[in-house]
Amino acid sequence: MMMMLDHLGRKTSPQCRHIASAVKSFPHDVDESPPQIKPAAPGIIRPRPHCTMDWWDVVYSPLWMVSTVLLALVVRLQRRGCWDPRSCPTQLRGKTAMVTGANSGIGKSIAMDFARRGARVLLACRSVSRGAAAAEEIKAKTGNSDVHVRQVDLSSLDSVGDLAEKILKEEKALHILVNNAAVSGLPQQITHDGFDVSFATNHLGPFLLTNLLTDLMKTSTPARIVTLSSVNHKKGEVDFSHFHGENLTHRLDRVYNHTKLHNIICTNELARRLQGTGVTANSVHPGVVMTGMMRHYPFRIRCIFNLIGQLFFKSAEEGAVSAIYCAVSEEAEGVTGKYFDSDCSLVLPAPLARDPALAAKDFDICQRLTSSFWMFLLGIPT
């Protein structure tokens, strides 16, 4: 075989020379030489190379999925409080209880529990048709036929006054009042009474209803008033111009948080004013609950809330537990002016809710704003 020398003086065969020539002439798509990085100009920060990790690899990782399921199970177990309504022996035969916003969600679950205990239950609802449907369901599931619907629009002080007048004429006693109805995420709107619609529905309406029925409850002792607030009250502020829709930011739950703070402040002051009467007043946090509260929020936020809520949030039945605890449990008997967490434990509310001077001022202002109906209560012509 004929041999030749390469450029380094090594012997090569014709076949080797042919292969080497082919490799040299083959087009290369990848440049194997190290990239030349030009120095950055003074004052310019060069961005770091992009991370090539695909987040879908993390989401679909078996470890990630197993961890998520385990976390969801742990949260679901922990969200159940140590107090179980089904183990509470309290009976309410011969007692009358009223629940606002009782046609669905937490309110309906509370009313269902009262009916099971034998109470005469009044469902105070804005929609008579939905209230009637809820009443029929409660009757069918509990066997208690003494369940009735009373129409009220808490955003209208006229409607609240009409309900109070009807209750005072028709009912001989009222042993339990649960202020449950509330709205969140409503756009800016002023009621015909001149109040922000969220403040009217969540605070001024329930405030007026409670105070118009207080004398009836004093004759029904022992009696309990329970107001559903929220842990979000800690993000609320006290600005009395808010009542008329001034200086408010109507974004997501901002207004809702303010109203829930006023709920606790005025409930605490009411408890102070009712000392020694046999009527107690407390506020509760139901927890983060899957209800229709989010119906006024943007579609995208509702979808995220519902998706996460399926794993981590309470059901309406679980959210009703803390309110039922305050309304019927032996442990809460005689307790007044307190704030209960969603696990039925006593906790301190925000500092603003513990200011007695602010509480007295807030209560007095709410009385003045609803003065025409206080005159009705006292029998003074307006």
Side-chain angles (χ1 to χ4, degrees):
M1 179 181 298
M2 182 177 179
M3 304 293 292
M4 297 185 67
L5 298 179
D6 63 7
H7 67 286
L8 296 178
R10 294 174 299 189
K11 294 181 179 180
T12 59
S13 65
Q15 291 86 348
C16 292
R17 292 201 320 275
H18 177 73
I19 294 173
S21 176
V23 169
K24 289 180 180 180
S25 62
F26 190 81
H28 288 256
D29 294 330
V30 180
D31 185 5
E32 296 182 352
S33 62
Q36 300 297 318
I37 301 178
K38 297 180 180 180
I44 297 178
I45 300 176
R46 186 180 299 281
R48 296 180 179 179
H50 291 290
C51 177
T52 58
M53 176 173 39
D54 189 348
W55 285 105
W56 289 111
D57 294 338
V58 177
V59 174
Y60 287 116
S61 167
L63 179 60
W64 171 272
M65 299 176 108
V66 171
S67 300
T68 302
V69 172
L70 289 176
L71 178 60
L73 290 175
V74 169
V75 171
R76 289 183 72 87
L77 290 174
Q78 288 184 340
R79 73 189 190 184
R80 296 179 181 271
C82 59
W83 188 80
D84 185 354
R86 292 169 297 183
S87 65
C88 176
T90 301
Q91 292 298 309
L92 298 177
R93 292 184 182 89
K95 307 284 188 180
T96 301
M98 183 163 73
V99 184
T100 65
N103 60 281
S104 63
I106 295 175
K108 185 170 74 172
S109 296
I110 295 172
M112 186 86 69
D113 180 272
F114 293 167
R116 286 197 180 104
R117 299 177 192 275
R120 171 178 170 83
V121 183
L122 307 178
L123 313 182
C125 307
R126 187 166 60 89
S127 169
V128 175
S129 60
R130 290 198 294 268
E136 291 304 315
E137 179 184 349
I138 292 172
K139 291 176 184 178
K141 289 185 176 180
T142 65
N144 184 346
S145 60
D146 201 4
V147 180
H148 311 274
V149 179
R150 298 290 181 264
Q151 198 278 333
V152 64
D153 178 359
L154 289 170
S155 69
S156 167
L157 299 188
D158 287 330
S159 179
V160 173
D162 290 343
L163 172 63
E165 185 175 14
K166 187 178 183 66
I167 297 298
L168 293 174
K169 286 182 178 179
E170 296 180 353
E171 304 298 331
K172 296 179 181 179
L174 181 62
H175 303 89
I176 300 173
L177 172 61
V178 179
N179 292 309
N180 161 74
V183 294
S184 181
L186 288 179
Q188 184 175 8
Q189 182 181 344
I190 301 299
T191 69
H192 69 275
D193 298 307
F195 304 121
D196 175 81
V197 65
S198 295
F199 265 87
T201 304
N202 295 0
H203 182 63
L204 289 174
F207 174 89
L208 176 61
L209 179 64
T210 300
N211 285 278
L212 290 178
L213 298 177
T214 297
D215 282 347
L216 177 62
M217 299 190 76
K218 288 178 181 178
T219 65
S220 314
T221 55
R224 305 186 191 188
I225 299 168
V226 181
T227 298
L228 274 74
S229 181
S230 169
V231 71
N232 277 14
H233 80 274
K234 296 180 179 179
K235 297 188 288 184
E237 300 172 357
V238 175
D239 181 341
F240 296 115
S241 68
H242 287 170
F243 288 127
H244 297 286
E246 301 169 6
N247 303 315
L248 278 175
T249 301
H250 290 79
R251 182 175 181 272
L252 300 180
D253 62 354
R254 298 284 288 275
V255 179
Y256 173 83
N257 299 340
H258 302 326
T259 64
K260 295 293 106 178
L261 175 58
H262 283 277
N263 285 166
I264 299 178
I265 292 173
C266 286
T267 299
N268 290 348
E269 177 63 14
L270 177 63
R272 187 189 68 79
R273 299 186 183 202
L274 290 175
Q275 286 282 0
T277 65
V279 182
T280 62
N282 295 291
S283 49
V284 303
H285 168 50
V288 184
V289 185
M290 290 288 293
T291 67
M293 179 69 75
M294 303 288 291
R295 62 185 178 275
H296 300 293
Y297 283 59
F299 177 75
R300 182 182 302 176
I301 294 178
R302 294 202 310 271
C303 288
I304 295 173
F305 182 89
N306 292 333
L307 179 63
I308 298 175
Q310 295 298 329
L311 295 175
F312 300 107
F313 297 163
K314 289 186 175 186
S315 64
E317 292 76 14
E318 292 166 336
V321 170
S322 57
I324 297 170
Y325 174 85
C326 289
V328 306
S329 74
E330 295 177 356
E331 295 88 337
E333 184 176 354
V335 178
T336 190
K338 302 300 182 183
Y339 171 66
F340 289 82
D341 204 352
S342 59
D343 63 355
C344 304
S345 63
L346 279 171
V347 293
L348 286 175
L352 285 174
R354 307 196 302 269
D355 184 337
L358 177 62
K361 181 178 181 180
D362 196 350
F363 199 96
D364 289 341
I365 288 176
C366 291
Q367 277 189 328
R368 289 200 298 271
L369 292 175
T370 58
S371 59
S372 61
F373 294 96
W374 283 97
M375 292 179 184
F376 152 78
L377 177 65
L378 298 173
I380 302 174
T382 58

